[in-house]
Amino acid sequence: MSVMSGCAGPVEAVLFKAACPECRARFELAAGALRLAIGGSRRTTFYSFTCPECGDAVRKPAGERIVELLTRGGVRTLRLHTAR
């Protein structure tokens, strides 16, 4: 996952480079096409998207750096809470 930003006026558009593990396509996604879930562990912290090429639902782990890039880029975030 990497970030590309392009200046096209006063609002900066952010595109994220991604790849599909199923069809191996590489593409760019806007923040609105991604979802970030932050859980209590590495296993429950991930980002997801639908591959624009094959339609597969993709879920990938998100470490601290990926979480930072996605949140700064405006990706919607869901905080997962564990039952106590």
Side-chain angles (χ1 to χ4, degrees), residues 27-83:
F27 39 82
E28 295 175 355
L29 297 171
L34 293 150
R35 298 291 177 270
L36 173 63
I38 300 175
S41 70
R42 286 183 176 183
R43 220 173 78 181
T44 57
T45 300
F46 60 91
Y47 66 98
S48 61
F49 58 90
T50 300
C51 175
E53 297 294 322
C54 71
D56 196 40
V58 178
R59 178 176 162 165
K60 294 188 175 185
E64 289 181 28
R65 180 70 177 139
I66 297 295
V67 169
E68 181 183 344
L69 289 171
L70 293 176
T71 54
R72 282 187 173 184
V75 172
R76 281 188 255 177
T77 303
L78 172 65
R79 296 209 178 260
L80 304 175
H81 299 282
T82 56

